[in-house]
Amino acid sequence: MMKYEMSEPIGEDFTKKSNGYYISKKSLIVIVTVFVLLLVGVAVLFYFIPRPSNENEVVYPSVVPPPSDDPEDDIECPPMPDIPVEEPTESDPFNGRLSEDIKPKNYKVWLQIYLDIEDGSKRYSYDGNVSIVMHVYATTNTIKIHVRDLNLYHENTHLTDSLQNDVEISNLYEDEVNQFYVIETATPLAAGEDYIFHANFDAPLTVNLHGIYRSFYGTPPNEVDLVASQCQSVAARTIFPCFDEPGFKATFDMIIVHRDKRRALSNMPVIKETTLEDDWIETTFDTSLVMSTYLVAVVVSDFPYLELIDGDLTLRVWAQPDYIAAANYSLHIGLKMLRFFEEHYGIPYPISKLDMVAIPHFFAGAMENWGLVQYRESTMLYDPEVHTPSRKERVAIVVSHEIAHKWFGNLVSVVWWEHIWLNEGFASFLTYIGVDHVEPDWKFWNSFHVLDMASAYTADSRSSSARPLILPVGWISEINSLFDAIAYSKGAAICRHFRAFLDPTVIHNGLKDYLQTYQYGNAVSDDLWTILTKADEGFKGTDVKMVMDSYTLMAGHPIVTVNRTDTNTVIIKQTYFLIDRNDYYQEQYPNNGYIWHVPLTYTDSSNPDFLQPKEDWLYRDPIVINLVGLSDQDWVLFNIDKWGFYRVNYDDDNWQKLANQFNINHTVITDQSRASTIDDAFKAAEPFHTDIVNALRLTEYLDKEFEYVVWETVLTNLDYTHRMLLRTAEFYLFEVYWSQKVRPLYESLGWDFSLGGHLDYFQRINAIETACTYGTEDCVTQALEQYWFWMSTGVNDIRDEVRPTVYCTAIRHGGLDEWEFAHAQATNDTLETTETDRLKSAMGCTEKSWLLQRYLQDENFATSTVIDNIRGKSAVGYSLAWEYTMNNFGQFGFSYDTVWEFKDYMNTQYDLDQLNLFGARNSNMSSDAAKGFYDAVQRVETNRDWMNKNKDSMKDWLLQVAEISTTGTTEGAMTDVPRPNTPSKQLINEGARHFRWEMGWTPGA
Ligand SMILES: [Zn+2]
């Protein structure tokens, strides 16, 4: 299933129920102390804030999300949508695994679909029957078959032996807890024999996005119905009774009866279409390959298709009629990727057709069903006339991920869900190979750093989201909780990790062997380790299981500290890395002392070699490495291109030498290693492993840097420092510095989006946003002119991608007129929500307190929204928002969350006292609110400590590096832009703009 990101933090929905909330001892002491002081000093009566409860239920959507055209909206690895089921608590032992005594060989599934008015009361339902040929491995008189939400005709359920003789059923019932249909026989079923189970049933077709369900396109009254399906993880049992575990593979003969205005698709090619009476058609599909139940797929629709025939393979893409042209891109890259992976692994795709269908309502990003991949419309359809490069990349990523699953997932499946990373990690990793093959200009391997790798490290460095990659599960909610950033992104990063200690050919041969060995079967993680160990025999002889167990059975990852004791000697040790120094170790998981087998790769400036770096191993004890031939000026660099899944920190001196190298000639170090070095420095500084100045020094060369992956990494990391400095006197210097650093990049790219390649598109958006945010003069001028043009003409031709930046910049550097114009637009009912949201956000960018006060009191907007839009934009905005929130809490529908959200900007003892005082005054808050309170207190403590540690050194550094002209360079500090005396070029013909200055301006006119 597809997969990642970032827009909706996956970790939150996936927080396990068993993660009780925890407060650090230190926090508790501070909290209690403050409470006691307040009790005495303020003489206010309150109770202790209740400890938060452990309830953290996975919330399932009750309504169908609208089809999204915005790639940012895609949740790539959501849990399967699922009807909440009455499951016992997870502390109850799970006894719902299938018995190995009896296994399915073949299913014959017949379904009749009712979607039309003429179907009367049967409309939006289906009838079905199933015959399952089963083989008995150990004599038994009990069969358990998964079933859920089906209306079974028990009277028709029967059992025969291989000679068609009835076998007497003595008892028949549904075990709802384990979702089993239990059939007990009067006489035992003999080992070595086949038996056939028969059942009839019906079920509704609702828009519930799981199992087999109804979707539609068009608007009422012209909606057109269709049927789609989604079985992963355990929804095949809602379509027909089945042995619904991935390890219970079988073949499937599907027959779908439907009206002749639609066509039916399933995993295999159609072998027969029989016209029945009235307008019914019975479509019979070829017997499937041996596969898992979660891969069964059905689509019944009137969609048109586009087709490519390549040798004996027919690839078709299907979509609703108005969108079919936009399926062309996925059709062509899909075929290229399929052929590439066939050759890459030397195993042909084994079905003569592949259908890819864009479904109007689909919960996951896409689903890899063998022979019939289903997508969201936004992940399969790309129209170059309409969509952005961002959408194009998204489509390429998702198609590549699903095609990669043909080998990792379809051909070789997992035995049980705890190993699901073998599917999702590999598919996510191979995505980069597939995209790189079809779009070589994108340098897509570099993007691994800012996509999956960033997501993996983020999830894995917080105790709230980190978990062992391999985690035993049983209940459905536990299974679904595994489809998270750890399985996808850390899984992908773990695949890359092999490169840190195995040769590429060994990895490649090992994976080929793994696929050959387990094709049409199932595997567990140990099977892969065994095969990779075998592949490395005669090379490095690595015990792959020993290495990989530390990365798959423990949560988290290490930070490796490299300390140079003299010119030629380094001492290296490791420690568990948590991004928040007030976070805690997870005691519910096995940890082996949090020690990893760390494959070290390294090079140095005496002979920088990023292709064949030196290697070593680090385990429990620190190691000493002797570096030959280094001088005092030489640097060392570890974890080449971040192949290994760990972070690196150095002593101050080596950080400085790396910064010097960046300044002198950064190209000596590869762009991937530049990005990862900068990333490590910022991340190491957050929990005090190093000083933030060591990270900031690495940015001094950025006026010579043009690589997308480096800039993207820097900008992601800048956010925290930006927030911490926002309310300090040094923020001005910070603005000046970044305005200077980004200017060459900004000037090289400009505003013309028709120029440059794929990466220039993303780089340009970053450059404009950064340059305008930090006040680069030309950027501010351009933004104002574009905004003024809109004001004067009523024509908004500002590109969508830069609208948030342009609006915010124009309002920050403009005055009343600019703000009031945005106000008029934001209260205009005809605008789309995304546009009004942008305008409302931009209105918070003004630094005029009287405008902010006006905004806060404006009855057109929800007060909490206004607070959200003001809080982080400026120091004055923060102060006014906090004061307003404190003065008015209890009115305007303020929620506690509005208060807790200030935590990201609070970083002084005074801030912490304020927060605690608020908590004390509201001690009757709910347990949910209390959890937010404790989180916020912990965050603010962390921020305060960070500021205490770094503030002075940051100030010293900023004074050194920000070259401020005493004659008054205004960049970075521009507030009101001087209005030009003559109209800009763009406005010469307008007249209106000229008129505005001379005659005044009426907002909204
Ligand atoms: Zn997947």
Side-chain angles (χ1 to χ4, degrees), residues 1-3 232 366 368 401-402 405 423-424 427-428 488:
M1 205 164 27
M2 187 69 199
K3 142 139 191 204
Q232 196 178 38
E368 69 265 21
H401 179 103
E402 303 312 323
H405 268 311
N423 282 9
E424 301 305 348
S428 300
Y488 286 76

Side-chain angles (χ1 to χ4, degrees), residues 82-145:
D82 218 333
I83 298 165
V85 283
E86 288 292 321
E87 287 192 329
T89 63
E90 288 173 15
S91 56
D92 288 334
F94 175 73
N95 296 314
R97 291 291 299 271
L98 291 168
S99 158
E100 300 273 331
D101 293 350
I102 186 159
K103 290 185 173 180
K105 290 168 73 175
N106 172 263
Y107 294 82
K108 283 195 170 34
V109 181
W110 179 96
L111 303 173
Q112 182 161 12
I113 308 292
Y114 304 105
L115 283 175
D116 301 291
I117 290 172
E118 49 269 46
D119 296 326
S121 63
K122 278 185 173 281
R123 190 182 189 195
Y124 299 143
S125 74
Y126 65 95
D127 290 331
N129 67 61
V130 65
S131 300
I132 312 175
V133 180
M134 308 167 297
H135 186 76
V136 177
Y137 290 84
T139 302
T140 178
N141 62 354
T142 304
I143 307 168
K144 289 180 180 177
I145 300 177

Side-chain angles (χ1 to χ4, degrees), residues 857-869:
Q857 290 161 32
D858 195 317
E859 290 178 358
N860 287 298
F861 311 111
T863 311
S864 59
T865 309
V866 177
I867 298 285
D868 288 344
N869 287 330

